[in-house]
Amino acid sequence: MTPPREGGPPVPDVVVEPDADRLARAAAAALVARLAAAQAVHGTASVVLTGGGIGTAVLERVAELAAEPARERVDWTAVDVWWGDERFVPADDAERNELGARRALLDRVGVPAERVHAMPPSDAGFAGPEDAAAWYADQLAAAAPEGAALPRLDLLLLGMGPEGHVASIFPDSPAVSDERPVVAVRDCPKPPPTRVSLGFGAINAAEEVWLLVSGEGKAPAVARALRDGAPARELPAAGVHGRRATRWLLDTAAAGELPPGG
């Protein structure tokens, strides 16, 4: 674990793998170890999932590890699964992060339905994304210790867009300054335009936050976040951190504009 800065969040760890496939495999092995460690301490574990190509690839690799009996074991019946953001589209829409996660991992390892906390789709009877966001905030609070707004979140995974967005918090958007744990997002610059997202308050309450980033097109944003300390309003990825640890898991292309040694 990286020690915290004086009066601030932990200094990020930076891990660079040769390519996207090696990145997904390394992240999957680390994820299994992190959840197993949480279960050894607490009896249960919790993870917040992300979508996107690299996020889904990691889940596929986790499912492969779960099928190898000699590997470190996670009791998937004792893992709570949450999401960092979701597209506010119908339940059967292929754009939903939930569907990708179910295919890649959740249905393959047998996570119980009551432990899968999906964000609502647009056809679930909510008046709009604002109501869906408020409902999800209530779900988080219901799973939290008495008096708290959030449960223990052992690990939160994030992807990052080339402009530096994380979850569905985009640069210079209202979500950047929204203090609620879950926010409705409209008019996203990336389709689909309507979404539900955890806010910074919920993201930064996680014990560990891992950013999974691959591809040359994201190298400038990685460098701005890690080297230049860009403000969160301009580059949301620069504003996320875990309570105990923050890890940037990169492939060589995404790390291409960092100085030698990170």
Side-chain angles (χ1 to χ4, degrees):
M1 180 180 69
T2 303
R5 297 185 179 97
E6 185 73 25
V11 176
D13 292 318
V14 179
V15 178
V16 181
E17 297 290 343
D19 54 45
D21 182 65
R22 290 280 294 276
L23 171 60
R25 293 181 183 279
L31 185 153
V32 168
R34 180 68 186 89
L35 297 186
Q39 289 183 337
V41 174
H42 303 289
T44 62
S46 56
V47 61
V48 182
L49 301 182
T50 185
I54 190 66
T56 301
V58 169
L59 299 186
E60 290 171 344
R61 302 298 180 264
V62 171
E64 292 171 2
L65 293 178
E68 298 179 14
R71 289 283 185 169
E72 190 166 14
R73 305 300 291 175
V74 170
D75 178 3
W76 291 101
T77 67
V79 176
D80 280 289
V81 178
W82 303 87
W83 270 266
D85 74 323
E86 186 56 276
R87 289 79 183 271
F88 196 61
V89 293
D92 61 355
D93 193 307
E95 292 276 6
R96 277 184 62 81
N97 291 331
E98 177 196 357
L99 295 187
R102 287 187 179 278
R103 285 193 299 266
L105 176 65
L106 305 182
D107 292 344
R108 297 167 66 180
V109 296
V111 178
E114 64 272 17
R115 289 190 176 273
V116 178
H117 308 282
M119 289 181 167
S122 61
D123 55 356
F126 292 90
E130 292 79 11
D131 286 348
W135 179 87
Y136 204 66
D138 287 345
Q139 299 304 298
L140 286 162
E146 186 173 355
L150 296 165
R152 187 189 79 251
L153 302 173
D154 296 304
L155 176 59
L156 186 145
L157 304 177
L158 291 170
M160 187 194 74
E163 78 297 270
H165 88 264
V166 290
S168 285
I169 304 175
F170 287 80
D172 297 310
S173 70
V176 173
S177 55
D178 198 316
E179 297 181 357
R180 291 173 294 179
V182 190
V183 300
V185 180
R186 294 181 179 271
D187 302 318
C188 281
K190 178 181 177 182
T194 307
R195 305 177 180 208
V196 175
S197 178
L198 296 189
F200 280 133
I203 291 170
N204 293 341
E207 295 298 301
E208 297 191 17
V209 172
W210 296 1
L211 293 103
L212 310 169
V213 189
S214 68
E216 182 179 2
K218 299 179 182 181
V222 169
R224 285 190 66 208
L226 287 172
R227 183 188 64 203
D228 302 332
R233 172 163 288 283
E234 295 178 11
L235 201 149
V240 301
H241 57 80
R243 288 164 52 88
R244 295 178 62 250
T246 308
R247 301 180 73 187
W248 285 72
L249 305 173
L250 313 171
D251 66 6
T252 300
E257 295 193 15
L258 292 176

